[in-house]
Amino acid sequence: MASRWWRWRRGCSWKPAARSPGPGSPGRAGPLGPSAAAEVRAQVHRRKGLDLSQIPYINLVKHLTSACPNVCRISRFHHTTPDSKTHSGEKYTDPFKLGWRDLKGLYEDIRKELLISTSELKEMSEYYFDGKGKAFRPIIVALMARACNIHHNNSRHVQASQRAIALIAEMIHTASLVHDDVIDDASSRRGKHTVNKIWGEKKAVLAGDLILSAASIALARIGNTTVISILTQVIEDLVRGEFLQLGSKENENERFAHYLEKTFKKTASLIANSCKAVSVLGCPDPVVHEIAYQYGKNVGIAFQLIDDVLDFTSCSDQMGKPTSADLKLGLATGPVLFACQQSDGVQQTTYLAQQYCHEAIREISKLRPSPERDALIQLSEIVLTRDK
């Protein structure tokens, strides 16, 4: 990966932007209102020597995506993982296949948790549990569980309680998607109409609430108060993150920190705390708990940074949801904020994601070698090369 990263940097002639936060920054950044969004467009073009204050938002998209052709199609980096040799000396086909060993019947088991007698509410609540999602969070959780168990006592079995965390993580994530689509008035997700588009906003909010309540019941059944505390923090972070997105910072210097804090709370907190939860269930060592948390935090932030890049560089059919949606909503993500600093937004955001992924790899490499640990290393690379 190091050589590929160097080739990327050489090909794009990266130059550090001022005040660019590193992986350790707690960070915050947030949305722009309509007037501030117009200001962004004006600033970008003024700094390029153009007097085009009335330029439509689509031209801002072109500016962001044309700055670095080697990055704006991230799929150009995409590598397959046929029969990869791990650092532990064992072979596996693909990190997703390796993680899925412990997740067979995942969506069926989630639907069993949604014990609903009303047919309409049942259909709404099960709508996204159709097996067509990436299952990125459950895969990471399952791999982390095995990696921590092997590190602790060389156990290669995932406990039932650890597997339950993978289900709960996917349920919390899905509930947040249902609620987000209401807030954003989104019409499509995963290549089909959203819950709010089909059943209306009020019913969609209730469906999200029901999924969240079912996840809470499943969490309570685990019976570990530490784990319950860890995962309830995720729910608080999701709410606080949404409020951060609804707010804004007038000071340009504070916008990126606001954005990163929002990114952590809305996306990375769930991955970080789910990884920590399975480490607590499998290993008593607080050092391992912190490794698991830091890996999840850094991968989670990188995942969202790349998602924000793909919002500009991929098409709607590929993503399964509308692209450039954040800009249309007046939300300032990494590419826009970097563009405000007179730098190549897509390129800089991708480089920042690489920094977070390298930090994730550094953390997880502290665990004892195993196929699962090495799969987590490879997943952090896949985060950077994904195209949807």
Side-chain angles (χ1 to χ4, degrees):
M1 175 167 176
S3 62
R4 182 168 67 252
W5 180 31
W6 173 243
R7 287 197 301 273
W8 178 87
R9 291 185 65 183
R10 288 180 63 193
C12 292
S13 302
W14 176 83
K15 296 178 182 178
R19 299 180 296 275
S20 201
S25 304
R28 309 173 12 148
L32 300 174
S35 60
E39 178 190 345
V40 168
R41 292 197 294 271
Q43 285 177 358
V44 168
H45 292 286
R46 280 200 302 271
R47 286 169 178 171
K48 293 179 72 69
L50 302 174
D51 183 17
L52 298 172
S53 59
Q54 300 303 314
I55 263 213
Y57 111 94
I58 189 63
N59 285 10
L60 176 55
V61 175
K62 290 179 180 178
H63 163 76
L64 290 166
T65 57
S66 64
C68 183
N70 290 333
V71 178
C72 68
R73 288 297 299 175
I74 291 178
S75 59
R76 290 180 57 164
F77 290 90
H78 191 64
H79 63 282
T80 54
T81 57
D83 202 25
S84 300
K85 184 94 170 177
T86 70
H87 297 97
S88 61
E90 299 183 40
K91 289 185 176 182
Y92 63 92
T93 304
D94 172 308
F96 286 91
K97 289 182 180 178
L98 189 66
W100 199 256
R101 292 184 306 183
D102 301 304
L103 297 174
K104 292 176 181 176
L106 170 73
Y107 293 106
E108 291 84 350
D109 291 342
I110 288 176
R111 288 194 289 268
K112 288 175 184 175
E113 296 289 344
L114 300 169
L115 297 174
I116 308 161
S117 57
T118 306
S119 59
E120 184 181 37
L121 188 54
K122 180 179 175 65
E123 186 179 0
M124 293 165 59
S125 302
E126 295 180 353
Y127 185 66
Y128 288 131
F129 298 119
D130 55 4
K132 295 180 181 179
K134 291 185 285 288
F136 180 73
R137 290 152 190 82
I139 292 289
I140 284 186
V141 171
L143 291 172
M144 182 62 74
R146 277 184 178 262
C148 291
N149 294 353
I150 291 169
H151 178 84
H152 174 51
N153 59 11
N154 208 29
S155 170
R156 295 184 176 270
H157 298 289
V158 171
Q159 302 171 23
S161 58
Q162 290 176 314
R163 185 180 184 276
I165 297 297
L167 273 69
I168 292 164
E170 185 69 356
M171 294 169 75
I172 293 174
H173 170 59
T174 303
S176 74
L177 296 183
V178 174
H179 286 157
D180 280 356
D181 287 343
V182 173
I183 293 170
D184 298 340
D185 193 26
S187 59
S188 65
R189 182 177 292 279
R190 296 178 181 174
K192 60 183 183 180
H193 290 309
T194 56
V195 173
N196 51 289
K197 181 74 172 178
I198 299 172
W199 288 281
E201 292 184 356
K202 292 181 180 179
K203 289 182 178 180
V205 170
L206 295 174
D209 290 347
L210 190 141
I211 296 168
L212 200 55
S213 68
S216 300
I217 292 170
L219 177 60
R221 279 203 306 270
I222 292 175
N224 185 306
T225 55
T226 301
V227 168
I228 292 171
S229 177
I230 289 169
L231 284 179
T232 51
Q233 180 64 49
V234 172
I235 299 173
E236 178 185 336
D237 284 344
L238 283 169
V239 175
R240 290 184 180 275
E242 197 61 56
F243 266 86
L244 284 171
Q245 183 162 291
L246 293 172
S248 64
K249 289 292 180 182
E250 293 300 323
N251 188 326
E252 184 177 333
N253 295 336
E254 297 179 1
R255 285 177 183 165
F256 215 107
H258 190 89
Y259 164 66
L260 286 178
E261 184 179 3
K262 182 269 296 181
T263 296
F264 169 76
K265 290 186 181 302
K266 285 198 65 177
T267 303
S269 174
L270 175 58
I271 300 173
N273 284 294
S274 297
C275 286
K276 183 177 181 180
V278 293
S279 74
V280 167
L281 291 168
C283 175
D285 187 352
V287 173
V288 174
H289 305 164
E290 185 63 16
I291 290 170
Y293 178 86
Q294 289 297 331
Y295 173 85
K297 170 189 171 182
N298 284 286
V299 164
I301 292 175
F303 184 93
Q304 187 58 50
L305 288 171
I306 295 299
D307 209 62
D308 293 340
V309 167
L310 292 173
D311 193 47
F312 288 103
T313 63
S314 287
C315 63
S316 297
D317 288 343
Q318 194 171 20
M319 291 291 286
K321 59 184 179 181
T323 52
S324 300
D326 289 331
L327 194 60
K328 292 172 186 175
L329 290 169
L331 304 178
T333 56
V336 173
L337 291 168
F338 273 125
C340 289
Q341 297 177 352
Q342 202 173 4
S343 61
D344 298 329
V346 168
Q347 175 183 341
Q348 291 280 19
T349 306
T350 305
Y351 177 69
L352 182 59
Q354 286 184 324
Q355 289 183 292
Y356 279 105
C357 281
H358 278 282
E359 182 65 15
I361 291 171
R362 190 183 72 81
E363 288 291 338
I364 200 65
S365 296
K366 297 174 183 177
L367 296 185
R368 178 187 297 182
S370 67
E372 287 75 16
R373 185 205 71 169
D374 296 333
L376 288 167
I377 291 172
Q378 193 171 7
L379 267 181
S380 67
E381 298 176 3
I382 291 172
V383 163
L384 293 172
T385 60
R386 69 192 183 94
D387 55 11
K388 62 179 181 179

